[in-house]
């Protein structure tokens, strides 16, 4: 019993550490978006990430070889697409709003499993879905009089991330953490390369031009922030995966919502961004909804019942 408690505590600390790392490094994106390019950022960061992953493999800590390359490619397409939108939104919106949109993904996992996998859910998870989407609307606060589709982009990122999560479980069982990480960064690097070749618009100055620039200055400060992002992403993702290896997935998943706190805290410290009371209430609803889905998914089905949808 004591060993299980210790492993559970270490799992929670690992995920909290990973989310704290990502919450801090994601707040460095404005240093990049002021002069850099979204496409350049993903391309260069992916090259750096692959160099670090290659060093890990050379030291004998695993392999990048995929058992099912097509499955890893498909999964990476959705996960990388989610992150492409996520980082693009960080240059346009407060980070708390963007993170809250991304964390609608467990709600979409439930809907995808019902609509496309024929699974059933109980009333608690239906209520969680309703509460979660209500929370998302409270955070982004769309104005019916001047509806801006850009406000919903973080939720689109959450949808793509959810599809990637379902694909991870359905297609990529048995694939290593290194393989999935390499596929993710490889797809993001490809997106970055394609974007650099296709984007030809006249970019606005400052953060507003982040998505429309094909290339930005690649000087010492920019390379430094790219490297910080690459290292921070690998450390954060590694700690999160370690948490899932140590603890029960449904319980560990509830600690992922600490990113809402870490990201918003550092946004306040570094950039003076504050979250209004309605937005805080919306974040709380999203965290409550996602935690409910995760915890309810850990309950074994009663005899004779159809298993409810996992998250």
């Amino acid at each position: 019993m004591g060993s299980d408690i210790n492993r559970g505590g270490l799992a929670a600390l690992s995920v909290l550490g990973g989310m704290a790392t990502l919450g801090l490094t994601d707040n460095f994106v404005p240093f990049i978006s002021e002069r850099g390019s979204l496409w350049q950022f993903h391309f260069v960061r992916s090259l750096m990430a692959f160099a670090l992953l290659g060093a890990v493999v050379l030291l004998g800590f695993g392999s990048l070889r995929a058992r099912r390359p097509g499955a890893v490619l498909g999964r990476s397409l959705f996960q990388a697409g989610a992150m492409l939108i996520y980082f693009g939104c960080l240059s346009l919106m407060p980070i708390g709003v963007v993170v809250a949109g991304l964390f609608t993904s467990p709600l979409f996992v439930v809907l995808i499993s019902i609509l496309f996998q024929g699974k059933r859910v109980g009333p608690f998870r239906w209520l969680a879905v309703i509460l979660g989407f209500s929370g998302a609307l409270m955070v982004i606060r769309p104005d019916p009089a001047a509806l801006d589709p850009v406000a919903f982009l973080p939720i689109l990122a959450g949808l793509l991330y959810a599809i990637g999560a379902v694909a991870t479980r359905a297609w990529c069982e048995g694939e290593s953490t290194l393989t999935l990480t390499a596929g993710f960064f490889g797809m993001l690097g490809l997106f970055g390369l394609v974007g650099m070749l296709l984007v030809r618009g006249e970019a606005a100055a400052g953060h507003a031009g982040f998505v429309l620039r094909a290339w930005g200055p690649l000087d010492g400060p920019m390379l430094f922030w790219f490297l910080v992002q690459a290292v921070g992403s690998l450390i954060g993702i590694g700690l999160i995966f370690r948490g899932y290896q140590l603890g029960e997935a449904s319980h560990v998943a509830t600690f992922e919502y600490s990113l809402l706190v870490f990201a918003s805290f550092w946004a306040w410290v570094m950039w003076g961004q504050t979250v209004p009371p309605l937005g805080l209430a919306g974040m709380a609803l999203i965290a409550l909804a996602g935690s409910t889905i995760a915890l309810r998914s850990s309950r074994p089905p009663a005899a004779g019942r159809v298993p409810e949808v996992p998250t």
Side-chain angles (χ1 to χ4, degrees):
M1 177 67 72
S3 176
D4 290 341
I5 294 175
N6 289 337
R7 286 174 62 89
L10 287 174
L13 287 175
S14 292
V15 173
L16 287 172
M19 291 302 169
T21 302
L22 295 177
L24 175 60
T25 56
D26 285 355
N27 269 287
F28 295 146
V29 170
F31 290 120
I32 298 170
S33 63
E34 186 174 9
R35 298 186 300 136
S37 155
L38 174 68
W39 317 103
Q40 173 198 34
F41 164 65
H42 284 303
F43 180 70
V44 175
R45 187 182 69 149
S46 294
L47 291 180
M48 292 177 171
F50 264 99
L52 294 171
L53 289 171
V56 170
V57 172
L58 289 175
L59 291 172
F61 294 104
S63 169
L64 302 182
R65 187 183 300 276
R67 296 183 180 184
R68 293 177 295 276
V72 174
L73 181 66
R75 179 256 186 195
S76 300
L77 181 67
F78 291 109
Q79 297 284 69
M83 289 299 101
L84 189 72
I85 296 173
Y86 173 81
F87 280 100
C89 288
L90 288 180
S91 65
L92 302 172
M93 306 176 188
I95 188 171
V97 173
V98 182
V99 173
L102 184 67
F103 273 117
T104 59
S105 57
L107 318 178
F108 285 116
V109 168
V110 173
L111 296 179
I112 291 168
S113 300
I114 294 169
L115 296 174
F116 299 101
Q117 296 180 322
K119 296 182 180 179
R120 295 173 55 189
V121 299
F124 282 100
R125 270 175 281 183
W126 272 119
L127 178 61
V129 169
I130 295 171
L131 287 177
F133 282 118
S134 299
L137 291 176
M138 291 166 65
V139 172
I140 65 175
R141 301 186 306 278
D143 182 4
L147 196 60
D148 185 1
V150 173
F152 292 92
L153 283 177
I155 296 179
L156 176 59
L159 172 60
L160 293 178
Y161 198 82
I163 297 173
V166 173
T168 301
R169 298 185 179 103
W171 303 344
C172 300
E173 184 177 357
E175 299 288 356
S176 71
T177 299
L178 281 178
T179 298
L180 295 179
T181 303
F184 168 73
F185 278 108
M187 185 59 69
L188 267 177
L190 180 60
F191 283 162
L193 178 61
V194 171
M196 288 190 300
L197 295 175
L198 295 182
V199 171
R200 288 291 181 268
E202 186 67 28
H207 304 294
F210 186 46
V211 177
L212 298 177
R213 293 188 194 104
W215 190 261
L218 201 59
D219 50 20
M222 194 66 72
L223 284 171
F224 170 77
W225 291 118
F226 284 171
L227 183 60
V228 167
Q229 268 289 330
V231 174
S233 296
L234 288 174
I235 292 174
I237 291 170
L239 286 171
I240 293 165
F241 277 126
R242 182 59 177 164
Y244 276 99
Q245 289 175 332
L246 290 171
E248 173 65 35
S250 58
H251 294 123
V252 171
T254 62
F255 291 97
E256 289 192 352
Y257 290 91
S258 63
L259 182 60
L260 287 166
V261 177
F262 289 123
S264 298
F265 170 76
W266 285 113
W268 171 66
V269 171
M270 297 175 62
W271 307 108
Q273 294 180 4
T274 58
V275 181
L278 184 64
L280 289 174
M283 289 181 181
L285 282 181
I286 293 171
L288 175 63
S291 299
T292 299
I293 290 170
L295 293 174
R296 295 291 298 181
S297 297
S298 67
R299 295 175 51 141
R305 280 180 56 202
V306 176
E308 295 186 354
V309 57
T311 60

